[in-house]
Amino acid sequence: MAGKERRITPPLARSLSVRLLVLTIFFVMLSEVLIYAPSLSNFRIRWFEEKIQTAHLAILALQSTPEQLVSPELKTDLLRSAGAHAVILRTPDRRLLLYTTRPPQVDETINVQDLSLVRGVGDALAALLRNESNVVHLLGPSPRDPRLTVEVVFDDDELREQMRVFSRNILFLALIISVLTAGLLYVTLLGLVVRPMRRITSGVTEFANNPENTLAGLQPTQRRDEIGLAQTVLVDMQKDVRASLKQKEHLAALGSAVSKINHDLRGILSTALLMSDRLSQLDNPDVKKLVPPLVQAVDRAIGLCTQTLSFARDEGPQLDHARFRLRGLLEDVSADLAALNAGLSQLENNVGDEFVIEGDRDQLYRVFANLARNAVEAGAKTVTVSARNTEDEVFIDVNDDGPGLPQKARDGLFMPFSGSAKKGGTGLGLAIARDVMRAHGGEIELAASGESGTHFLLRLPKSRSRLA
Ligand SMILES: Nc1ncnc2c1ncn2[C@@H]1O[C@H](COP(=O)(O)OP(=O)(O)O)[C@@H](O)[C@H]1O
Ligand SMILES: [Mg+2]
């Protein structure tokens, strides 16, 4: 068998492993982003809480001393350590202020108690992306004593810088994680899926190129996962295909041998027929009695040879499509039948005159002639044919009132040489009928058979089957 050259490895961009690699990197990055946004918001909230704490610590120095006694230098130091322009501490009964100069105009006021992880995401991202710093007025309860409120005014430069570093770290980490995950996944998939798949493809290709060679092709595997099962199924199929190829080869060889024998046998039988004819002319009563059965037997033998030969030569019917009236075809069959048994049986033609089908008239004639002949040979008095249209098929029913199919005929029905249950039968008639129907894209099947008769159902694909 000449195999086509097939491509076994796909182009890199189409390769399963590369696509998975890219997808994994993408998905890991995506999930990192989903995690990143709330963690940035959380980072900002923690930072604010710490800010309140440091501010509180700075102002504690004032609490113990009368405000006037603190030197401006100390105030500056305290404010620098808190990173603030000003700090205010409100207790239930007094208010402590720590500032050196009048603090700048406040850009935004933030109450730590109002902050939440989700709502903070937008503000955190905005702060990160902003170009200039804001003056923030932050207030919240002191972590040391919730009755005290600490307020602090500061530039958010430092916060934004730390958020930037935080983001950079996360991005870096995400990259490392996704590359690492993708890489591991890639290697795993390569070993677990891609390589085995390639092995299967190359095995199947090898088999397709050289199906007869038992050493070539896919080899059995111990794997029991999906790929292993696929491989096992393919190996089994390979075995079946090989076996049926071998059988076909045998049959072909046998067929050609049978054809040759048949051909010679027909010649020999013709001579025998000729001789029996001559014998029948002898004027001897014994001979006169013996010759007719002899002629009949030889006749049947010649018939068998002829049919076998024509079947062996048949390479599936070549169809000569035409549109014709089914009723006309059946009238021909009916005439044929009348000649066969001197009008003892008849064909009841229930097909309308306008019923038109498309197909090879001669081939379809063989089908109906065979069916009618079979019925009559089985002992039917009447063969009834009717036809009907459906949406896309033509159904033709062939019924007879014969005795039904014998069991032997049922067993090998439609199979060449094996369905015959009568003396001198070849078992080719129904096999040929099925070949013809299938070549037309149709089918013949046994619908029913019993003591009161046999019913074959024929289907043909419809092609504008009805005349207007
Ligand atoms: N209408 C029928 N009624 C009863 N038996 C039938 C009918 N059609 C076919 N058969 C049986 O099926 C067998 C196979 O038929 P066929 O394939 O035409 O081969 P053949 O006619 O050469 O025996 C026949 O031998 C016969 O026994
Ligand atoms: Mg027949």
Side-chain angles (χ1 to χ4, degrees):
M1 196 185 285
K4 276 180 278 172
E5 272 312 312
R6 292 174 181 86
R7 199 179 169 135
I8 295 177
T9 33
L12 205 59
R14 294 232 148 262
S15 137
L16 203 58
S17 40
V18 171
R19 279 201 264 174
L20 278 166
L21 186 75
V22 173
L23 277 178
T24 316
I25 294 184
F26 174 74
F27 285 134
V28 175
M29 289 302 273
L30 186 73
S31 46
E32 291 286 341
V33 167
L34 291 181
I35 295 169
Y36 163 74
S39 50
L40 183 73
S41 166
N42 183 49
F43 178 85
R44 177 164 164 268
I45 293 172
R46 295 283 96 75
W47 194 90
F48 282 151
E49 282 167 2
E50 261 172 45
K51 191 77 180 171
I52 298 262
Q53 192 161 9
T54 25
H56 190 192
L57 277 177
I59 208 164
L60 275 184
L62 290 193
Q63 218 173 7
S64 47
T65 39
E67 201 179 331
Q68 300 82 350
L69 292 187
V70 176
S71 68
E73 289 77 26
L74 182 58
K75 278 188 178 176
T76 312
D77 274 356
L78 287 172
L79 284 173
R80 193 179 303 126
S81 72
H85 293 296
V87 179
I88 304 166
L89 180 71
R90 290 181 201 278
T91 63
D93 48 301
R94 74 185 182 124
R95 197 175 73 142
L96 229 59
L97 292 169
L98 169 63
Y99 64 93
T100 47
T101 53
R102 198 183 147 74
Q105 180 75 35
V106 167
D107 291 314
E108 57 180 327
T109 299
I110 297 171
N111 189 339
V112 172
Q113 281 171 310
D114 291 344
L115 290 176
S116 95
L117 202 63
V118 179
R119 268 182 286 130
V121 167
D123 291 340
L125 287 174
L128 184 72
L129 298 174
R130 217 188 309 118
N131 272 332
E132 71 275 6
S133 66
N134 265 1
V135 175
V136 177
H137 172 208
L138 181 70
L139 61 146
S142 160
R144 294 163 162 264
D145 183 350
R147 285 171 308 158
L148 308 181
T149 304
V150 180
E151 295 180 34
V152 48
V153 178
F154 60 94
D155 285 333
D156 68 356
D157 284 327
E158 196 194 337
L159 169 64
R160 291 190 310 124
E161 177 55 27
Q162 285 187 17
M163 283 195 335
R164 246 176 257 136
V165 172
F166 176 79
S167 306
R168 253 199 307 276
N169 288 346
I170 286 212
L171 180 73
F172 186 61
L173 211 67
L175 263 178
I176 290 184
I177 290 177
S178 52
V179 169
L180 206 73
T181 318
L184 286 174
L185 212 67
Y186 176 79
V187 174
T188 315
L189 282 172
L190 207 63
L192 230 54
V193 179
V194 177
R195 288 235 178 84
M197 278 312 285
R198 283 195 195 143
R199 263 203 299 280
I200 288 182
T201 316
S202 85
V204 170
T205 313
E206 211 176 279
F207 173 72
N209 289 337
N210 195 356
E212 277 98 0
N213 184 350
T214 37
L215 292 178
L218 212 54
Q219 300 306 321
T221 173
Q222 297 299 322
R223 275 177 77 150
R224 281 289 160 265
D225 57 5
E226 285 83 346
I227 291 189
L229 287 181
Q231 186 163 346
T232 308
V233 171
L234 281 171
V235 167
D236 286 350
M237 197 182 76
Q238 224 172 241
K239 225 186 279 167
D240 291 349
V241 169
R242 244 179 222 139
S244 67
L245 271 178
K246 192 152 271 167
Q247 199 189 12
K248 271 225 172 98
E249 229 170 72
H250 283 177
L251 277 180
L254 196 68
S256 71
V258 167
S259 298
K260 275 181 208 139
I261 296 170
N262 245 313
H263 184 262
D264 295 353
L265 200 60
R266 200 164 52 157
I268 298 166
L269 286 170
S270 301
T271 319
L273 193 62
L274 208 69
M275 289 301 139
S276 3
D277 252 1
R278 290 255 186 90
L279 271 181
S280 68
Q281 283 156 19
L282 292 183
D283 217 8
N284 179 322
D286 276 347
V287 170
K288 278 251 181 318
K289 215 165 73 195
L290 290 175
V291 164
L294 175 65
V295 172
Q296 246 181 31
V298 175
D299 240 356
R300 268 209 305 273
I302 293 181
L304 172 63
C305 287
T306 315
Q307 285 189 53
T308 311
L309 269 179
S310 81
F311 179 77
R313 254 185 252 120
D314 243 357
E315 293 189 328
Q318 287 296 313
L319 298 186
D320 200 358
H321 272 272
R323 283 158 60 73
F324 58 88
R325 289 167 48 244
L326 180 59
R327 190 179 174 83
L329 176 97
L330 292 170
E331 276 160 6
D332 291 353
V333 174
S334 176
D336 202 38
L337 207 62
L340 183 76
N341 68 351
L344 283 178
S345 317
Q346 52 153 349
L347 190 142
E348 196 179 312
N349 196 340
N350 283 347
V351 177
D353 204 30
E354 78 291 358
F355 202 95
V356 167
I357 60 173
E358 191 178 311
D360 187 314
R361 196 179 191 278
D362 289 343
Q363 298 287 350
L364 289 171
Y365 177 86
R366 283 171 88 189
V367 174
F368 290 106
N370 245 309
L371 289 176
R373 195 175 288 233
N374 277 348
V376 170
E377 280 170 0
K381 289 274 167 291
T382 314
V383 181
T384 315
V385 184
S386 51
R388 59 206 146 93
N389 272 304
T390 66
E391 184 84 358
D392 39 29
E393 272 182 319
V394 177
F395 284 92
I396 305 168
D397 298 285
V398 180
N399 280 289
D400 67 55
D401 53 3
L405 289 160
Q407 189 56 43
K408 180 168 184 289
R410 279 168 202 253
D411 292 343
L413 207 67
F414 300 115
M415 302 219 300
F417 303 113
S418 53
S420 184
K422 65 190 168 222
K423 207 169 142 206
T426 55
L428 282 175
L430 291 176
I432 290 172
R434 173 163 277 186
D435 275 356
V436 171
M437 292 310 289
R438 288 190 172 168
H440 278 84
E443 185 57 285
I444 172 172
E445 54 207 36
L446 178 68
S449 179
E451 275 166 27
S452 55
T454 302
H455 175 193
F456 283 99
L457 175 62
L458 285 71
R459 288 186 284 126
L460 272 179
K462 189 164 164 186
S463 33
R464 308 165 301 276
S465 292
R466 206 182 259 278
L467 274 186

